[in-house]
Amino acid sequence: MIDEQTKSSKGSFWRELPILLGVAIIVAFLVRQFVVQTFFIPSGSMEHTLDLDDRVLVNKLVYDFRAPERGEIIVFVSPESWRNTPEHEDYIKRVIGVPGDRVVCCDPQGRIQVNGHPLDEPYVYPGNKMAPEEFDVTIPEGRLWVMGDHREASGDSLANYNNHGQNIEEATIPLDSVIGRAFVLFWPFSRTTWLTVPDTFAGVPEPASGG
């Protein structure tokens, strides 16, 4: 009797295995599509917060419940005018300004100011200025001003502001282009870390207009 039950159990396992594998594949697909996805870093524009070929996990669900916030590192579908080649559409940058913010460079210490609050940015690539050029912009409704941490090697909002005749629409990205928030650097293991919001952003006041 025990032998027959064992055979029956083994046979049931092998019959159910394809179903279990199918369910696992579907769950993995749904998680990747809607919840968490891995991205690799294709350039040096975020050095040394993120280096070339690093891997990050991106939360794709968080912005279904709230808007991106200053200081967060986001992955987004770049405007076509930003791309070096058509296939390079997913970009990763840091949010500096949200809708209604006035972003200015620079104060006497060379710092970017958001709504009058100077940002202390130790994550910026060593030797870089906080911004390669001076600017004074107000972020339109529904858009974000994003910059790479390697300020002098990043095709970001400032670069595209200058490349497109200081057109603020061309310089910013729409909120609905954001894929998700990069929240952990997981590869290589020697560099594993949470990608938290730097403390300096906590002091930024809301825009004077209330936007």
Side-chain angles (χ1 to χ4, degrees):
M1 179 66 72
I2 294 176
D3 289 343
E4 290 298 325
Q5 288 179 340
T6 302
K7 289 179 181 179
S8 175
S9 176
K10 288 182 178 179
S12 175
F13 170 78
W14 289 110
R15 286 193 300 271
E16 294 175 358
L17 183 59
I19 297 174
L20 294 173
L21 289 175
V23 170
I25 291 170
I26 292 171
V27 169
F29 172 79
L30 292 174
V31 168
R32 182 182 185 277
Q33 195 73 13
F34 300 108
V35 183
V36 176
Q37 186 173 348
T38 62
F39 283 83
F40 83 98
I41 308 305
S43 74
S45 70
M46 284 294 293
E47 290 177 328
H48 284 297
T49 304
L50 301 172
D51 288 340
L52 185 66
D53 293 331
D54 281 354
R55 265 60 172 178
V56 297
L57 289 179
V58 173
N59 183 333
K60 302 177 72 174
L61 196 59
V62 61
Y63 298 137
D64 288 341
F65 301 96
R66 65 169 178 83
E69 297 177 356
R70 305 176 193 95
E72 293 180 336
I73 296 174
I74 62 170
V75 172
F76 59 95
V77 178
S78 64
E80 290 187 9
S81 61
W82 286 33
R83 304 175 193 175
N84 294 324
T85 57
E87 65 271 16
H88 292 167
E89 62 177 32
D90 292 344
Y91 277 35
I92 185 165
K93 307 290 180 192
R94 189 182 298 277
V95 178
I96 302 298
V98 299
D101 282 348
R102 183 183 179 191
V103 185
V104 178
C105 186
C106 292
D107 73 358
Q109 287 73 46
R111 298 172 298 183
I112 290 174
Q113 294 176 297
V114 181
N115 302 331
H117 174 76
L119 299 179
D120 293 312
E121 301 184 277
Y123 49 79
V124 170
Y125 189 85
N128 276 193
K129 296 179 179 179
M130 300 302 103
E133 298 182 44
E134 294 183 358
F135 63 94
D136 184 342
V137 297
T138 298
I139 314 308
E141 192 64 32
R143 305 188 76 84
L144 300 170
W145 180 276
V146 296
M147 299 182 76
D149 289 354
H150 193 167
R151 296 285 160 83
E152 296 177 15
S154 179
D156 55 17
S157 286
L158 180 55
N160 284 281
Y161 182 67
N162 291 323
N163 290 343
H164 295 93
Q166 299 188 340
N167 183 324
I168 190 62
E169 294 290 332
E170 291 285 354
T172 50
I173 63 165
L175 284 168
D176 61 11
S177 71
V178 178
I179 296 170
R181 177 186 175 184
F183 67 97
V184 64
L185 165 62
F186 73 92
W187 182 264
F189 291 139
S190 61
R191 284 172 40 77
T192 298
T193 186
W194 295 104
L195 299 174
T196 57
V197 174
D199 291 341
T200 189
F201 288 94
V204 177
E206 291 306 304
S209 63

